Amino acid sequence: MEGHILNVTALNGYINSIFRAEEMLHGISVAGEVSGIKVSKGHAYFTLKDEKSQISCNSFNYVKTYLPKDGESVLVKGSVDYYAAGGRLNFIADTITPLGKGYLAYKLELLRAKLEAEGLFDEIYKKQIPAFPTNVCVITSINGAVIRDIKKTVRRKNQLIDIYIKDVKVQGKDAHIEIADALQLVDKLNFDVIIIARGGGSAEDLMPFNEELLAREIFKCKTPVISAVGHETDFTICDRVADYRAATPTAAAEKIAYDVESVRRYLAESAQKIKIALANSTALREKDLKVKINSLKTQMQLCVSDNTNRLNSYIGDVKKLTDKLYSSADANFNYFLTKLTALNPLGVLQKGYWYVSKDGKALLSAKDMHRDDIISMKTHDGEVKALITEVKI
């Protein structure tokens, strides 16, 4: 056909005639996994795929054969068709026969069994998630809603935890390699906790979190790892090997976000209980001491007529015992009082420090302040409002 110029219709018609003439492309059976199935007016449209390839399929009368589900492995029998008007290649499925669990699911089950046999899911290797973390790294997409939900949930209870973000791809080809590399990096940075997070998605979207490379990298981590992948019903290899599985990213935030006000109240209540306990202990010792002194006085009065020197000796011993008991009680009281004072958050302010905030948020850097800002400055005995006239950095 050298030297001839074809229009699109002629070209597509020629291609179509080739497909129609090729007997090997008609009445054949193909096995694969169903993905993205859609139904419209009695017809089914889906993709049939294996580990390396895929092809579009149409079933124009699925009610007479079988309607498969996403992820299901099936055997389709029919012919390859080239739709000339649209320039599309399809497989027209005359019959569909279910084969059971899909290839990807089968592959995932093999990996799960392998890692479980090696002990990667064993509870004895799970590290404890700190009750009061101060610096947390979240490995996720910086542009997704996941990180916003995590921050919002944490900040409802806690303004003290520093949240760092390691931006990674959370789906698609090689996403698991990027996540594993990020995990290896941040594990060396002494975070209290690492959270691996992404929102919900299809089974294909979550496949990076079912990869062996990522599972082994999580297992090697020295830092406690929380897996927060997908919705509550999703369960990945990443979930199984992590030190803690959160049903959702929000649940992961709830796990680390201890309530600062509750902790403060607990410390104040504990200090009060210790103070009361010390006072009660001192009172009991004083009462016991008085009983002993009275007993000794009675005994000495009975003996005074017989041995004055012995009486004086007893009095001296009693005085030493009294001084020692009072000294010990006083030292214990001062020791615990010093400890309580050190734990009192107001103690820092009494040393001349000020708590500076703007609109209810703590100002931790001069970079957060601007000229003409109204700021609040609190110390142990009051609060003042100030106008920023100049900021030097």
Side-chain angles (χ1 to χ4, degrees):
M1 301 181 67
E2 185 177 354
H4 291 276
I5 298 176
L6 301 176
N7 59 26
V8 175
T9 300
L11 175 61
N12 281 0
Y14 177 70
I15 295 173
N16 186 36
S17 67
I18 294 174
F19 277 94
R20 289 183 179 276
E22 180 55 65
E23 293 183 2
M24 289 189 62
L25 298 180
H26 300 279
I28 58 177
S29 297
V30 183
E33 182 178 320
V34 174
S35 177
I37 187 161
K38 296 180 181 177
V39 175
S40 176
K41 298 179 180 179
H43 306 318
Y45 306 90
F46 57 93
T47 298
L48 192 68
K49 65 181 183 179
D50 58 21
E51 191 175 19
K52 295 182 180 179
S53 305
Q54 64 182 35
I55 187 170
S56 296
C57 295
N58 301 336
S59 176
F60 293 118
N61 198 5
Y62 73 83
V63 293
K64 291 187 177 181
T65 175
Y66 175 74
L67 180 64
K69 298 179 285 295
D70 274 346
E72 187 174 7
S73 184
V74 297
L75 181 69
V76 295
K77 185 175 181 179
S79 303
V80 176
D81 176 70
Y82 184 77
Y83 179 50
R88 294 192 300 272
L89 179 70
N90 296 286
F91 187 89
I92 307 302
D94 298 323
T95 62
I96 304 173
T97 306
L99 293 180
K101 188 179 293 186
Y103 177 76
L104 291 179
Y106 174 70
K107 179 181 174 183
L108 181 59
E109 179 60 24
L110 287 181
L111 176 60
R112 185 203 64 74
K114 174 185 174 182
L115 298 180
E116 184 173 33
E118 292 182 26
L120 269 68
F121 306 154
D122 288 357
E123 288 296 325
I124 60 173
Y125 299 118
K126 305 294 186 187
K127 294 176 284 295
Q128 189 72 27
I129 305 301
F132 304 103
T134 58
N135 60 334
V136 176
C137 182
V138 182
I139 299 177
T140 190
S141 170
I142 197 169
N143 297 317
V146 166
I147 190 61
R148 294 194 295 272
D149 291 343
I150 289 176
K151 285 183 176 180
K152 182 180 179 181
T153 301
V154 171
R155 293 304 177 219
R156 277 203 301 263
K157 295 182 179 180
N158 193 307
Q159 297 294 327
L160 302 182
I161 297 176
D162 292 325
I163 302 175
Y164 299 86
I165 306 165
K166 179 58 179 172
D167 184 30
V168 295
K169 291 192 304 183
V170 292
Q171 72 181 62
K173 184 180 179 182
D174 296 334
H176 66 288
I177 299 176
E178 189 170 325
I179 297 169
D181 289 344
L183 188 61
Q184 188 178 66
L185 173 65
V186 300
D187 187 41
K188 301 174 183 178
L189 301 180
N190 298 318
F191 286 102
D192 294 329
V193 181
I194 298 171
I195 299 175
I196 300 175
R198 76 148 281 157
S202 67
E204 287 82 2
D205 292 339
L206 300 182
M207 280 308 295
F209 302 92
N210 286 314
E211 293 288 345
E212 182 174 359
L213 173 68
L214 178 56
R216 295 194 181 279
E217 201 60 51
I218 294 172
F219 187 74
K220 289 190 297 184
C221 272
K222 298 178 182 177
T223 310
V225 176
I226 295 176
S227 174
V229 178
H231 298 303
E232 187 171 357
T233 55
D234 298 320
F235 219 107
T236 65
I237 295 292
C238 179
D239 291 329
R240 294 178 182 275
V241 74
D243 299 298
Y244 180 85
R245 186 250 176 178
T248 62
T250 301
E254 292 283 358
K255 176 67 177 176
I256 64 166
Y258 58 93
D259 191 331
V260 173
E261 288 303 319
S262 295
V263 173
R264 287 175 177 168
R265 287 194 299 269
Y266 172 77
L267 290 176
E269 291 170 359
S270 297
Q272 183 64 21
K273 289 178 181 179
I274 292 173
K275 182 178 180 181
I276 294 172
L278 285 174
N280 291 339
S281 177
T282 302
L284 288 173
R285 290 188 179 189
E286 184 177 357
K287 181 178 180 180
D288 183 57
L289 182 59
K290 288 180 179 180
V291 171
K292 290 180 179 179
I293 292 174
N294 290 333
S295 177
L296 288 172
K297 283 182 178 180
T298 301
Q299 294 178 26
M300 287 188 290
Q301 286 173 356
L302 294 174
C303 297
V304 69
S305 58
D306 298 326
N307 196 331
T308 302
N309 290 334
R310 184 179 294 176
L311 177 61
N312 290 333
S313 177
Y314 282 154
I315 293 173
D317 291 339
V318 170
K319 187 177 184 306
K320 291 179 182 179
L321 177 62
T322 303
D323 291 340
K324 184 177 180 180
L325 289 172
Y326 272 110
S327 177
S328 176
D330 187 63
N332 286 337
F333 182 81
N334 289 333
Y335 172 78
F336 284 106
L337 186 60
T338 301
K339 287 289 187 180
L340 289 172
T341 302
L343 291 173
N344 186 358
L346 296 178
V348 176
L349 300 182
Q350 290 174 343
K351 294 179 181 179
Y353 292 94
W354 294 74
Y355 173 77
V356 182
S357 63
K358 182 177 74 175
D359 300 329
K361 296 182 178 179
L363 294 173
L364 306 180
S365 169
K367 295 178 181 179
D368 298 331
M369 304 183 196
H370 307 282
R371 184 176 179 181
D372 297 329
D373 281 352
I374 302 298
I375 63 173
S376 172
M377 301 174 61
K378 293 183 181 179
T379 188
H380 69 99
D381 60 352
E383 177 181 1
V384 300
K385 299 288 185 178
L387 173 68
I388 300 298
T389 61
E390 183 178 1
V391 177
K392 293 183 178 181
I393 300 177

